[in-house]
Amino acid sequence: MNYLESLNIEQRKAVLAVEGPVLIVAGAGAGKTKTITHRILHIIASGVSPERILAITFTNKAAKEMRERVRNLIEEDPNLVHLRRSMPFMSTFHSLGVFIIKENAPLLNLPRHFNIFDTADSKKALKDALSYVGVDPKEYLDKIRHIISNEKGRGVSLSEYGERGSYDFTSELVKKAWTRYEEVLKKEHALDFDDLLLKSLKLLEKYPEVLKKYQDRFLYIHVDEYQDTNKVQNQIVELLAGKNRNICVVGDTDQNIYSWRGAEIKNMLHFERTYPEVSTFFLEQNYRSTKNILGAANKIIEQNNFRIPKKLFTENKEGEKIGVFEARNEIDEAHFIALKCKELIEKGQSTEDMAVLYRANFQSRVLEDAFMSYGVAYQMLGTKFFERKEIKDAVSFIKASLNPENVTDFSRIINIPPRGIGKVTLQKIIQGLEDVLPEATKIKISSFRKMLSDFKDVLLQEKPSDALRHIIRTSGMENMYKTGFEEDTDRLENIMELVTLAIGYDIYPGEEGIEKFLTDTALASDQDALDGGKNGVKLMTVHSSKGLEFHTVFICGLENDLFPHRRMGEAKKSGEDSEEERRLFYVAVTRAGKKLFLTHAQTRTIYGTMEVNSRSEFIDDVPEKYIEKETFLGEFPRKPLFKIEF
């Protein structure tokens, strides 16, 4: 039981409460991952086989960290080291969905190697569906996509949506576009991200034998970031835990920032109603932030009403005060931040420990300009490695090889490298009219299909990294990028980095490795880009910063209507909606460990219009005793940092 010695009193109580439902209210920086992993270790040490334990979180990065910590804890314990090859099932919700669907694919009329549509695939398919039903995708794409995603997130299938009563124009359009979209998915044996959860839920609800199999397999269930679960995710968890009721959920209502994508804070607020016998523990000791930063954070969040009350405390030093800087405009604001980062770097601070957070993506442009102008290294979070063309091409070769019905990926790679197959020819292939094509073209297509068939054999027999090397070389991608041009060299290096990534999946037996590789690449999040090894100050939205921590944090653009955010023409938020913006600010503040800067601008150009702004109400919520005014003694450049061409 030596592993309990490193835990504080509340963490230890939560770890030891193994049987029955457990709610852990874990504040920012309070060691929730440590508590979860030690709880898993304690269950294993009690004699439970690791395979009977399930732990679910929201990002690949968080799941990987949890997995590594549990493995290290097991290997450090001489009584458990023999179990190091037998690990609990630790994954994201979507990866769990893939696992359940693959094991029961015939019940859904799907092949085991079904295709997963990423965001770009889904957008394209829905765009085509909207064109098919006769409306302009530019006008309706985002709105219809959001509606369909939200309906799926609430557990509503297309057939259930169609059974509703009267419809207005939008509802009728959703029904028609959704119907066409589902036809495309079915034809390609594909599921989108929302389907991975919805189809899993339907399997558990419709087939009692499937539900029993997973209830008997997973005797102890853990859910991280429980406040971010939507209706479908919560229903999946409740079904899996329904028999044994050994469910431990960990979360913080003050960090619920995803209602716009279906997260329901009531799942956590009402947990005690669902499980009256619940044991509740509060992790309130913060190990990350200074007293000043934490004091400000507590004052900010205590103004919200929709929360489980708690008050974080720390034994850390009082620390520096929070710097507040008022700029004349967004350019001066960006220059202040870049110069302050440069100053801190020259004093020895690592760029890896610094982050600049903003509410809206458009704010990044002037920040990038300023960082470049002063030669300060930075990394933009949001440019995903797996969204790069050459990476998507390489992954498409794998997907098209494993699933011959996958039209999307087949179409993407049939001319990579160029094979002289035009759009008209491709359309005839898709329509099943290959017989009318010239004999020479038929030979090209036949040769391409044969190559994909050979690739499938290699993928199912070789290690993922070896199979990927073979595909890159044999397909012609490698030679295609050996032009000597810098851009092509970068693309080739990116593909080689993909092979390096695949090595991590070589440990899995048979085709399990390539399946896990495809699942993780399809479900990669913004934060996964942080593992790429690129140094620099991190620039990201506040939403992307969730779960991360830094020595120094800048929160910029703190003006009313920007942060708190209000879209053009939108009425001022009130009640629960306004509280989410405050929670978002609270998340941003609690990313900082030692130093926090809050910046705002008197004027800011948004959508081509210069606006005069009032300072964010959030800054006014921070007591004066925690604040010091930042000044800049030099002169910012007055010339524009970017060129506008007409």
Side-chain angles (χ1 to χ4, degrees):
M1 303 282 279
N2 291 339
Y3 52 83
L4 297 177
E5 294 176 3
S6 64
L7 305 172
N8 64 38
I9 293 174
E10 281 300 304
Q11 289 174 336
R12 193 174 306 163
K13 288 179 181 177
V15 165
L16 294 175
V18 171
E19 301 300 323
V22 172
L23 171 63
I24 302 176
V25 181
K32 69 179 178 66
T33 304
K34 180 177 183 178
T35 303
I36 296 172
T37 52
H38 278 71
R39 191 174 192 276
I40 291 172
L41 179 73
H42 179 65
I43 293 172
I44 295 171
S46 302
V48 176
S49 175
E51 293 97 337
R52 315 306 292 276
I53 301 170
L54 172 66
I56 320 170
T57 187
F58 275 82
T59 67
N60 288 337
K61 187 174 186 295
K64 181 181 178 183
E65 180 185 356
M66 194 183 297
R67 204 175 295 119
E68 289 175 350
R69 286 204 198 186
V70 170
R71 181 178 287 111
N72 290 338
L73 286 171
I74 290 174
E75 290 181 347
E76 288 168 5
D77 191 323
N79 297 316
L80 302 176
V81 69
H82 65 284
L83 296 172
R84 64 181 181 275
R85 294 187 181 279
S86 175
M87 291 288 289
F89 192 106
M90 291 175 280
S91 77
T92 64
F93 268 103
H94 288 89
S95 294
L96 174 64
V98 172
F99 173 75
I100 292 174
I101 292 168
K102 279 186 181 295
E103 286 203 335
N104 302 278
L107 296 176
L108 296 171
N109 293 317
L110 284 171
R112 181 174 178 84
H113 300 294
F114 64 88
N115 189 17
I116 300 174
F117 268 23
D118 62 18
T119 302
D121 295 332
S122 296
K123 279 186 174 181
K124 183 182 183 305
L126 190 55
K127 182 179 177 182
D128 292 343
L130 287 167
S131 297
Y132 180 82
V133 300
V135 296
D136 184 3
K138 290 181 181 178
E139 184 176 354
Y140 291 101
L141 178 60
D142 290 339
K143 182 179 181 179
I144 301 301
R145 187 167 169 268
H146 180 71
I147 291 172
I148 293 174
S149 180
N150 271 4
E151 291 293 340
K152 288 185 177 183
R154 286 195 286 265
V156 179
S157 65
L158 171 60
S159 60
E160 291 165 335
Y161 185 83
E163 290 169 1
R164 289 179 180 173
S166 59
Y167 286 92
D168 55 21
F169 171 77
T170 300
S171 298
E172 283 292 342
L173 179 56
V174 169
K175 184 179 175 181
K176 291 176 183 177
W178 192 350
T179 300
R180 179 63 179 175
Y181 177 63
E182 289 295 328
E183 288 172 357
V184 173
L185 289 171
K186 185 176 180 179
K187 181 180 179 182
E188 299 204 23
H189 294 154
L191 300 177
D192 63 21
F193 288 166
D194 296 310
D195 287 329
L196 298 178
L197 302 175
L198 181 59
K199 299 293 186 183
S200 301
L201 175 62
K202 298 303 181 186
L203 280 168
L204 297 175
E205 288 179 332
K206 187 176 180 181
Y207 300 100
E209 68 278 12
V210 173
L211 176 60
K212 184 179 184 301
K213 177 171 69 171
Y214 296 111
Q215 286 179 335
D216 291 342
R217 171 171 178 170
F218 300 126
L219 302 183
Y220 296 88
I221 297 171
H222 301 74
V223 185
D224 190 17
E225 304 286 7
Y226 186 62
Q227 77 282 345
D228 290 334
T229 53
N230 64 19
K231 184 176 180 179
V232 166
Q233 290 163 334
N234 192 49
Q235 286 179 314
I236 290 172
V237 169
E238 288 185 354
L239 283 169
L240 293 177
K243 180 179 179 181
N244 302 296
R245 297 180 77 80
N246 294 325
I247 177 172
C248 172
V249 300
V250 187
D252 181 6
T253 52
D254 293 336
Q255 296 187 68
N256 171 261
I257 59 173
Y258 291 113
S259 66
W260 52 274
R261 69 180 190 195
E264 296 187 348
I265 194 171
K266 68 180 181 181
N267 291 341
M268 188 162 180
L269 291 174
H270 297 168
F271 188 77
E272 292 174 335
R273 295 185 192 176
T274 308
Y275 302 94
E277 73 275 33
V278 65
S279 300
T280 303
F281 304 95
F282 288 82
L283 305 186
E284 297 175 294
Q285 183 172 356
N286 177 285
Y287 293 91
R288 177 188 304 157
S289 304
T290 62
K291 284 186 170 71
N292 276 330
I293 293 173
L294 209 57
N298 281 330
K299 284 294 182 182
I300 289 161
I301 202 61
E302 69 184 20
Q303 298 185 47
N304 275 5
N305 295 312
F306 296 92
R307 62 190 295 257
I308 298 175
K310 67 178 186 313
K311 190 161 188 174
L312 297 183
F313 68 93
T314 185
E315 295 178 0
N316 292 338
K317 295 178 181 178
E318 189 165 326
E320 297 182 49
K321 291 191 174 184
I322 298 169
V324 175
F325 179 72
E326 180 180 33
R328 282 184 290 185
N329 54 43
E330 72 271 21
I331 295 177
D332 285 1
E333 178 188 50
H335 275 255
F336 167 78
I337 293 171
L339 284 169
K340 181 61 71 171
C341 286
K342 187 173 184 178
E343 175 189 320
L344 293 171
I345 292 166
E346 289 172 350
K347 289 180 179 178
Q349 191 170 143
S350 168
T351 58
E352 295 301 288
D353 285 333
M354 303 164 70
V356 183
L357 311 182
Y358 38 85
R359 180 62 181 83
N361 277 307
F362 76 84
Q363 294 173 253
S364 66
R365 185 184 64 174
V366 290
L367 288 165
E368 284 195 88
D369 287 334
F371 273 77
M372 284 190 289
S373 68
Y374 293 111
V376 180
Y378 69 92
Q379 182 182 6
M380 275 287 296
L381 199 67
T383 306
K384 296 181 186 176
F385 176 75
F386 297 104
E387 288 181 353
R388 292 169 177 156
K389 179 185 182 301
E390 61 275 15
I391 299 302
K392 286 180 72 72
D393 290 344
V395 173
S396 285
F397 268 105
I398 300 174
K399 291 161 69 177
S401 300
L402 292 175
N403 180 4
E405 303 299 322
N406 184 339
V407 176
T408 297
D409 289 298
F410 181 90
S411 302
R412 180 182 184 93
I413 57 173
I414 195 168
N415 261 323
I416 295 176
R419 293 181 176 85
I421 298 173
K423 290 183 178 179
V424 175
T425 301
L426 179 58
Q427 199 60 38
K428 288 181 179 178
I429 297 171
I430 294 171
Q431 294 171 352
L433 301 175
E434 286 185 44
D435 290 343
V436 304
L437 296 173
E439 200 61 36
T441 305
K442 289 181 184 177
I443 293 172
K444 289 179 185 177
I445 297 167
S446 177
S447 175
F448 180 68
R449 290 189 191 278
K450 175 65 167 61
M451 181 176 69
L452 294 182
S453 177
D454 291 343
F455 286 168
K456 181 175 183 177
D457 292 338
V458 173
L459 286 163
L460 298 181
Q461 295 171 16
E462 303 291 337
K463 294 178 180 178
S465 62
D466 291 337
L468 188 52
R469 283 192 193 94
H470 175 80
I471 288 173
I472 291 167
R473 183 174 60 252
T474 308
S475 68
M477 285 188 73
E478 184 174 356
N479 285 334
M480 183 173 73
Y481 291 127
K482 284 185 174 179
T483 63
F485 291 112
E486 184 177 354
E487 185 177 333
D488 284 342
T489 301
D490 288 343
R491 285 175 173 164
L492 187 57
E493 289 175 353
N494 287 335
I495 295 172
M496 292 303 108
E497 179 63 25
L498 187 67
V499 174
T500 302
L501 178 70
I503 293 174
Y505 297 82
D506 289 348
I507 59 172
Y508 297 102
E511 59 191 270
E512 186 180 347
I514 199 64
E515 288 180 352
K516 285 184 177 292
F517 173 78
L518 283 178
T519 299
D520 288 350
T521 55
L523 303 177
S525 68
D526 286 351
Q527 289 188 5
D528 294 321
L530 284 175
D531 294 328
K534 181 179 177 183
N535 295 323
V537 179
K538 304 297 181 277
L539 310 183
M540 68 186 84
T541 64
V542 181
H543 281 99
S544 294
S545 74
K546 177 81 178 294
L548 303 177
E549 58 183 83
F550 303 92
H551 178 286
T552 301
V553 170
F554 296 81
I555 308 174
C556 62
L558 280 163
E559 298 121 37
N560 286 323
D561 294 344
L562 180 54
F563 200 2
H565 191 61
R566 182 164 65 98
R567 293 178 179 84
M568 288 192 303
E570 181 183 55
K572 186 174 181 180
K573 294 177 180 177
S574 59
E576 193 171 350
D577 288 339
S578 67
E579 290 199 359
E580 177 146 340
E581 285 294 306
R582 188 177 299 280
R583 291 196 294 267
L584 194 57
F585 182 56
Y586 173 79
V587 166
V589 168
T590 53
R591 298 312 94 199
K594 302 295 188 293
K595 182 64 180 179
L596 176 65
F597 294 92
L598 309 177
T599 69
H600 63 103
Q602 296 170 357
T603 64
R604 186 177 301 272
T605 302
I606 300 177
Y607 302 120
T609 302
M610 181 180 288
E611 298 181 359
V612 179
N613 308 302
S614 59
R615 187 169 86 162
S616 172
E617 62 191 71
F618 292 157
I619 298 180
D620 298 331
D621 290 340
V622 180
E624 284 293 327
K625 66 178 181 178
Y626 297 122
I627 287 177
E628 63 180 2
K629 185 177 180 181
E630 291 284 336
T631 56
F632 182 73
L633 301 178
E635 182 68 20
F636 294 122
R638 299 270 61 86
K639 64 181 181 180
L641 294 179
F642 48 88
K643 183 179 177 183
I644 301 176
E645 296 181 353
F646 297 93

